[in-house]
Amino acid sequence: MPAPPEGHYHGWFDNVLWSTAPAVASAGPANAPTPVIGSKGQLPESADDLTVLPWNDLEILEAHLKEGDVAGVIMEAAMCNQGSIHPAAGYLEGVRAACTRHGAILIFDEVITGFRLAPGGAQQLFGVTPDISTFGKAIANGFPVAAIAGRADLIDMFTNGGVVHGGTYNAQPVAMAATAATLRSLTPAVYDKIGKSGTALMEGFREVFARHGVTAQVVGFGQVFHVALGLDAPAKNYRDLARMNKPAYVALTTALLRRGVRALERGAWFLSSEHDAGVIDETVAAMSDAVRELKAAGTL
């Protein structure tokens, strides 16, 4: 069976679209979350061979792996679909060792983090290598390209191990050209620029919230971070993040939109090489105005 973490997102297949953003009340206890269906039309039976686990808890993962029935563990190496949460110290290393010890395949979903946090993704940033990695999005700067990489003995099963993999648009020439051009453009200078811009934006937001007396957490990476209203400490997992004041944040994104800033309602902020110092300053100013408006209205 596969074991994905609560709050992580790994695509629309029926056997993994579970507990991506569940209501905590319906998801069962934190130490053994109940799989929550992700879409109407899914068969409940598709979760029969699935175990949803809390993230950043090595002890619980180890206990499940010891049962000997977990084929693979799939996760984001940094929880960027929800919260831009860092892995706890030693967590990824512990997961890697536990999977090796108990014969489970470790899969890192790098569709968000790959080529965004570092040229080699989150696994390069944290120094932990999975057995299989999936990539998309930034790999071709938004063109429809995805990739799977990993151990040769596993990937070679596509060609000589009886594992079927096909796609009408595999190796589509325009998308491949976009991939090559994007990867050539991702120089150390580009990562440095994006990281500095994102860090400046995060610091600007923190200053705005502190100045207006708004309880909030701005955490993550320079390239992708998350804003959570109402949290007095950084979230360590999905359950922590679920306590954020979502209605207030939606109101904040609406106020920002009126000021020319489009922000995702889930709290994620993504930086690009085109976000220069001027854009950062304008965005911080818009955030300050929006927070002032909502404070006056009693929303924050």
Side-chain angles (χ1 to χ4, degrees), residues 140-172:
N141 199 32
F143 274 75
V145 176
I148 181 171
R151 284 170 26 199
D153 62 312
L154 296 174
I155 300 301
D156 285 349
M157 294 181 73
F158 288 132
T159 57
N160 55 31
V163 176
V164 176
H165 178 272
T168 302
Y169 302 109
N170 284 6
Q172 198 269 348

Side-chain angles (χ1 to χ4, degrees), residues 203-286:
E203 292 174 349
F205 285 176
R206 292 186 186 116
E207 188 279 328
V208 167
F209 293 135
R211 174 159 39 89
H212 291 283
V214 175
T215 300
Q217 293 296 316
V218 183
V219 300
F221 309 85
Q223 296 84 0
V224 51
F225 64 88
H226 186 269
V227 177
L229 298 180
L231 297 187
D232 55 10
K236 302 187 203 64
N237 52 44
Y238 177 78
R239 297 294 174 104
D240 289 347
L241 193 67
R243 296 199 302 268
M244 67 180 286
N245 189 337
K246 293 182 180 179
Y249 191 78
V250 171
L252 179 60
T253 61
T254 302
L256 285 170
L257 188 60
R258 290 196 294 268
R259 290 161 173 82
V261 176
R262 181 182 180 272
L264 298 177
E265 292 184 352
R266 74 173 192 260
W269 290 73
F270 295 91
L271 275 290
S272 81
S273 59
E274 300 309 298
H275 292 125
D276 57 20
V279 171
I280 300 303
D281 290 343
E282 291 174 7
T283 306
V284 172

Side-chain angles (χ1 to χ4, degrees), residues 39-298:
S39 173
K40 292 180 179 179
Q42 281 181 268
L43 292 175
E45 293 82 4
S46 64
D48 286 352
D49 294 322
L50 179 79
T51 298
V52 176
L53 299 176
W55 193 64
N56 254 344
D57 192 319
L58 186 58
E59 183 178 350
I60 291 177
L61 176 65
E62 180 83 49
H64 278 272
L65 289 177
K66 283 181 179 178
E67 296 177 10
D69 61 351
V70 177
V73 174
I74 184 170
M75 65 173 66
E76 297 174 89
M79 190 173 165
C80 287
N81 181 62
Q82 297 269 1
S84 295
I85 302 173
H86 287 241
Y91 176 69
L92 295 181
E93 293 85 351
V95 171
R96 172 68 280 178
C99 286
T100 300
R101 188 161 54 248
H102 297 289
I105 292 173
L106 176 59
I107 305 164
F108 279 174
D109 184 331
E110 296 247 32
V111 171
I112 293 178
T113 55
F115 304 101
R116 183 180 295 279
L117 298 188
Q123 58 195 271
Q124 178 186 354
L125 183 65
F126 296 115
V128 177
T129 303
D131 299 302
I132 292 176
S133 306
T134 59
F135 299 94
K137 297 183 185 293
I139 191 174
N141 199 32
F143 274 75
V145 176
I148 181 171
R151 284 170 26 199
D153 62 312
L154 296 174
I155 300 301
D156 285 349
M157 294 181 73
F158 288 132
T159 57
N160 55 31
V163 176
V164 176
H165 178 272
T168 302
Y169 302 109
N170 284 6
Q172 198 269 348
V174 174
M176 293 301 95
T179 301
T182 298
L183 298 184
R184 282 195 298 266
S185 299
L186 291 177
T187 63
V190 169
Y191 282 99
D192 183 63
K193 177 183 178 182
I194 297 174
K196 288 180 178 177
S197 295
T199 299
L201 189 58
M202 293 169 70
E203 292 174 349
F205 285 176
R206 292 186 186 116
E207 188 279 328
V208 167
F209 293 135
R211 174 159 39 89
H212 291 283
V214 175
T215 300
Q217 293 296 316
V218 183
V219 300
F221 309 85
Q223 296 84 0
V224 51
F225 64 88
H226 186 269
V227 177
L229 298 180
L231 297 187
D232 55 10
K236 302 187 203 64
N237 52 44
Y238 177 78
R239 297 294 174 104
D240 289 347
L241 193 67
R243 296 199 302 268
M244 67 180 286
N245 189 337
K246 293 182 180 179
Y249 191 78
V250 171
L252 179 60
T253 61
T254 302
L256 285 170
L257 188 60
R258 290 196 294 268
R259 290 161 173 82
V261 176
R262 181 182 180 272
L264 298 177
E265 292 184 352
R266 74 173 192 260
W269 290 73
F270 295 91
L271 275 290
S272 81
S273 59
E274 300 309 298
H275 292 125
D276 57 20
V279 171
I280 300 303
D281 290 343
E282 291 174 7
T283 306
V284 172
M287 178 65 82
S288 183
D289 288 345
V291 169
R292 185 183 300 109
E293 173 193 323
L294 296 184
K295 283 284 288 186

